[in-house]
Amino acid sequence: MNESTKGTIYAILAVLLFATLGAGFKLSVARLDGYVVVVYMGLFAVTALLANLVLTGRSGDIIPEFRRKPLFFILTGVIGLGVQQLLCVKSYEYLPAAQVVILTYTYPLMMIVLAWAVYRERSTPRSVVFVLVGFFGVYVLISRGTFLQIDLNIGTLLSLTCAFSFALFCVLIKHARFHIGVGMFLFNLFGLLFLLCLLPFYGVTWQLSLPQLLGLVYLGVFPTAVAFILWNKSLQLCRTSHSSNFALLTPVLSLVCIAVVLGERIFPSQIAGMAIIVGAVFLNVNFGGVEGGEEGKRG
């Protein structure tokens, strides 16, 4: 088995795990406050990522890596694994899981704009057109097919802000050089510390039923820590554009999972909006002249 094939397998496994997040979030927030969910997820994700570093003999790199870029790891972790996680889970309190999944998947489109704003990355005219097509897909989605009015409720705003936060996180790490395993641990750690700073405003229910505990362990370990490890192994073995194409399966599989597990009805306008968004990202990755993906440099 060559490295490209291994990378493909890692990418597929990661995408399958990512696809379960939407249904898992919705099942969790139906019983628990969103803040409680993200705090427990952060605890389990940090624990799993630290265990991975210990098992791979990289735990001794944590402090040296942090000392190289302390402000970078703190701010990026707060943005990508603190603010973003809280916004994401809160979105599920206001919207059906299917709509949250599609709205948050606008982050690759926002990355193109942010990459230009932060790094002045030049986009080709084709790339600009594809981005505009993608945002038209967002319009189709949130207009619910009426094309006359846009449903800008609190859930929609939370989901789009969540997408913006994750897009900013991806852009910030794109040109940084760090060991990805250590970096993901530090990002999750400082995201968790940020969430714990909000404890006086929210409070946390420490007593959980066994099903609730197992659900949060799953969300924190598998679609968060394990999926990121698999995903970054894929990026190490495959071209970014190749892996990014597999990422386009995430919202599709998420909708299938949501329909099966939660029994949510998927509306034609949602399918149309998602198809336009995914199509725009696919065209941008392959033909836009700008690579759409996280490229933290790995040691």
Side-chain angles (χ1 to χ4, degrees), residues 40-61:
Y40 275 105
M41 278 184 60
L43 284 169
F44 294 131
V46 167
T47 302
L49 289 166
L50 179 59
N52 175 63
L53 292 177
V54 172
L55 292 173
T56 56
R58 302 303 298 254
S59 58
D61 297 335

Side-chain angles (χ1 to χ4, degrees), residues 5-238:
T5 302
K6 289 180 181 179
T8 298
I9 293 173
Y10 285 137
I12 292 172
L13 291 174
V15 166
L16 288 172
L17 289 175
F18 285 140
T20 65
L21 264 176
F25 273 142
K26 193 67 177 181
L27 288 172
S28 298
V29 300
R31 307 185 188 100
L32 297 169
D33 178 76
Y35 175 74
V36 174
V37 173
V38 291
V39 168
Y40 275 105
M41 278 184 60
L43 284 169
F44 294 131
V46 167
T47 302
L49 289 166
L50 179 59
N52 175 63
L53 292 177
V54 172
L55 292 173
T56 56
R58 302 303 298 254
S59 58
D61 297 335
I62 295 174
I63 293 178
E65 191 79 21
F66 173 69
R67 284 178 173 171
R68 287 198 313 114
K69 297 181 178 182
L71 192 60
F72 166 75
F73 284 114
I74 293 171
L75 291 179
T76 309
V78 168
I79 292 170
L81 280 306
V83 174
Q84 184 268 337
Q85 290 280 59
L86 188 57
L87 289 171
C88 182
V89 175
K90 285 293 183 183
S91 300
Y92 286 96
E93 295 181 6
Y94 293 94
L95 291 176
Q99 192 166 350
V100 175
V101 166
I102 301 171
L103 284 171
T104 53
Y105 202 75
T106 59
Y107 82 87
L109 304 174
M110 297 182 185
M111 280 181 64
I112 306 293
V113 178
L114 286 171
W116 173 83
V118 176
Y119 296 113
R120 287 296 185 265
E121 288 189 5
R122 300 179 67 178
S123 298
T124 65
R126 284 178 300 176
S127 178
V128 174
V129 171
F130 295 149
V131 170
L132 292 176
V133 170
F135 280 111
F136 174 72
V138 179
Y139 169 72
V140 172
L141 172 66
I142 62 180
S143 67
R144 295 178 179 268
T146 64
F147 299 102
L148 297 175
Q149 59 183 13
I150 296 178
D151 188 12
L152 282 179
N153 53 41
I154 184 65
T156 300
L157 294 175
L158 284 171
S159 295
L160 290 174
T161 308
C162 168
F164 177 83
S165 298
F166 192 66
L168 182 58
F169 169 76
C170 293
V171 168
L172 289 175
I173 71 173
K174 183 176 182 181
H175 296 287
R177 301 187 66 85
F178 57 88
H179 180 269
I180 193 65
V182 176
M184 287 309 302
F185 167 75
L186 289 171
F187 294 143
N188 277 272
L189 175 63
F190 287 109
L192 174 61
L193 292 176
F194 165 76
L195 293 170
L196 290 176
C197 289
L198 302 178
L199 186 60
F201 303 99
Y202 285 96
V204 171
T205 301
W206 297 107
Q207 293 183 341
L208 300 173
S209 66
L210 182 59
Q212 289 174 334
L213 180 62
L214 292 176
L216 293 174
V217 168
Y218 175 81
L219 287 174
V221 174
F222 292 98
T224 306
V226 173
F228 269 111
I229 292 170
L230 291 171
W231 181 250
N232 285 290
K233 282 182 178 292
S234 171
L235 291 178
Q236 289 176 336
L237 298 172
C238 299

